[in-house]
Amino acid sequence: MARVLEVRDLRVEFRSRGKRVRAVNGVSFHLDDGETLGLVGESGCGKSVTALSIMRLIPRPPGRIVEGEAEFEGRDLLALSDDEIRRVRGNSIAMVFQDPMTSLNPVLSVGRQIGEALRVHRGMGRLAARKRTIELLEQVGIPSARQRVDDYPHQFSGGMRQRVMIAMALSCEPRVLIADEPTTALDVTIQAQILELLKRLQGELGMAMILITHDLGVMAGVADRVCVMYAGYIVESAAVDEAFKLPRHPYTLGLHRSLPNLVRGPRQRLVPIEGLPPDLANPQPGCPFQPRCQFRLDRCANENPDLEEVTPLHAIACWVDVTGGDRHTGQPRHPGVAVAG
């Protein structure tokens, strides 16, 4: 399978009230042609900042891409000029944002907004762009697309606005689609429809997709591989089935235990992850998760482990593999702690 995107050692920071906030800390991952990679983690862990950095949409100031590479079609996206990245953005790589109401321009019709990408990137005339826009609206399931092409965003429901955003993102048939929390603020039935739409269009167009979410259920149903993020780091990376059936990092295990699970029985109590995420403006030495971790060792307070494979295609950034003990010494995990089923 061909490699379509490779991100290496991405580091992003923001200046806030005289402090430096390290939002992304050396993130590396790859995306293969036609696959779906999930980025999952709680709010503020760096998922969206990672995606916006790839698209070069980090506001400057206060944000800054400190270092790293994002190789796409033989070029480093982070090294391109502003004109060069504009030719890639919305054309070869497109993004669906989490709030369509604030992402769509309220004073322009949806047809004009979708058609703009076709005219800029594909050189279409006005009539050709309008015809293609109607086809795209029909493709994403907008009823009476020919009549609604001249409507404005406020005339659509939340689910329909998200469909409009998907039509806009797919207008130039990108090789990579980044979907940033595409089902946020939608009710459950509409969420399922949007996810099914994304999966169907991905199959039809053969594109790769990065799906960003904090919803493990969404991730399990859509992604092929998953990267779990915490405090700006990737702490676990694995095939989605293995990551959900056999989590190896304490944080991933904590996410599992904090979710309802019918298999564990109706009386099974949820186990929350105690404590709060770290202050990224005042990073402490050692592993950022260790103050909340029931598996922590003495070394965790001073040494932050790199992301390393524990089995082929399954990597964790932890001194302890919760399924087997210390990653390097093989000593058993803490007694009385069982992996959730």
Side-chain angles (χ1 to χ4, degrees):
M1 191 177 293
R3 185 71 42 93
V4 62
L5 176 69
E6 179 130 22
V7 176
R8 305 184 192 94
D9 199 28
L10 177 65
R11 299 177 185 271
V12 185
E13 64 182 33
F14 292 84
R15 290 283 181 176
S16 176
R17 299 176 182 178
K19 293 184 177 181
R20 184 171 60 172
V21 179
R22 297 174 176 86
V24 177
N25 297 292
V27 163
S28 298
F29 61 86
H30 69 271
L31 181 68
D32 291 333
D33 219 0
E35 80 164 339
T36 299
L37 173 69
L39 294 182
V40 66
E42 59 195 271
S43 297
C45 71
K47 307 183 303 293
S48 295
V49 173
T50 296
L52 291 171
S53 300
I54 294 170
M55 297 289 286
R56 293 271 299 280
L57 291 173
I58 294 292
R60 298 175 296 174
R64 183 170 73 98
I65 299 174
V66 178
E67 63 179 285
E69 297 178 345
E71 185 177 332
F72 174 74
E73 295 183 338
R75 297 188 296 173
D76 179 8
L77 298 175
L78 307 186
L80 297 182
S81 68
D82 290 344
D83 287 339
E84 289 172 327
I85 194 63
R86 274 194 288 267
R87 288 193 285 271
V88 174
R89 189 191 301 135
N91 186 20
S92 301
I93 304 179
M95 189 166 181
V96 177
F97 297 92
Q98 58 181 292
D99 187 353
M101 196 58 200
T102 57
S103 301
L104 292 168
N105 191 322
V107 300
L108 297 179
S109 70
V110 298
R112 181 172 175 182
Q113 293 183 65
I114 296 172
E116 182 180 9
L118 294 167
R119 297 175 73 175
V120 170
H121 293 299
R122 295 300 169 93
M124 289 186 178
R126 185 176 61 85
L127 293 179
R130 180 181 176 85
K131 179 181 178 182
R132 177 58 181 153
T133 296
I134 293 171
E135 293 173 354
L136 286 163
L137 291 175
E138 291 172 342
Q139 190 176 14
V140 298
I142 300 291
S144 306
R146 189 173 298 276
Q147 287 72 44
R148 304 219 62 184
V149 68
D150 294 318
D151 285 352
Y152 291 83
H154 73 272
Q155 296 174 276
F156 292 82
S157 67
M160 288 296 151
R161 284 196 293 267
Q162 195 60 285
R163 290 173 185 266
V164 170
M165 285 294 300
I166 293 170
M168 187 184 304
L170 300 183
S171 59
C172 296
E173 300 183 0
R175 286 194 69 191
V176 174
L177 176 69
I178 301 174
D180 186 3
E181 308 249 15
T183 59
T184 295
L186 301 178
D187 65 54
V188 175
T189 56
I190 302 301
Q191 284 185 26
Q193 293 173 15
I194 294 298
L195 293 172
E196 186 60 36
L197 173 64
L198 286 171
K199 289 171 66 176
R200 176 174 63 80
L201 294 174
Q202 181 185 22
E204 292 176 0
L205 299 176
M207 63 185 176
M209 182 163 65
I210 298 175
L211 176 65
I212 298 170
T213 183
H214 59 267
D215 189 326
L216 294 180
V218 167
M219 192 64 67
V222 177
D224 300 306
R225 288 187 300 114
V226 61
C227 292
V228 180
M229 293 191 67
Y230 184 80
Y233 296 91
I234 291 178
V235 297
E236 184 159 9
S237 174
V240 70
D241 289 343
E242 186 168 348
F244 281 86
K245 291 178 182 176
L246 197 66
R248 292 176 176 269
H249 191 281
Y251 176 62
T252 313
L253 178 60
L255 292 178
H256 278 257
R257 289 176 166 177
S258 64
L259 290 175
N261 189 332
L262 296 178
V263 175
R264 295 200 296 261
R267 296 183 181 275
Q268 180 69 41
R269 293 175 63 91
L270 301 182
V271 182
I273 301 175
E274 301 291 344
L276 296 172
D279 181 1
L280 299 183
N282 295 291
Q284 302 300 308
C287 170
F289 186 61
Q290 63 89 15
R292 310 172 71 185
C293 181
Q294 60 182 309
F295 295 86
R296 59 182 175 268
L297 307 173
D298 291 341
R299 68 190 304 184
C300 299
N302 301 304
E303 302 176 64
N304 189 19
D306 294 328
L307 187 70
E308 292 184 5
E309 283 193 347
V310 287
T311 64
L313 305 180
H314 195 152
I316 60 172
C318 186
W319 300 119
V320 177
D321 175 352
V322 298
T323 67
D326 189 292
R327 193 177 71 183
H328 289 196
T329 67
Q331 294 177 352
R333 63 176 181 268
H334 289 202
V337 180
V339 177

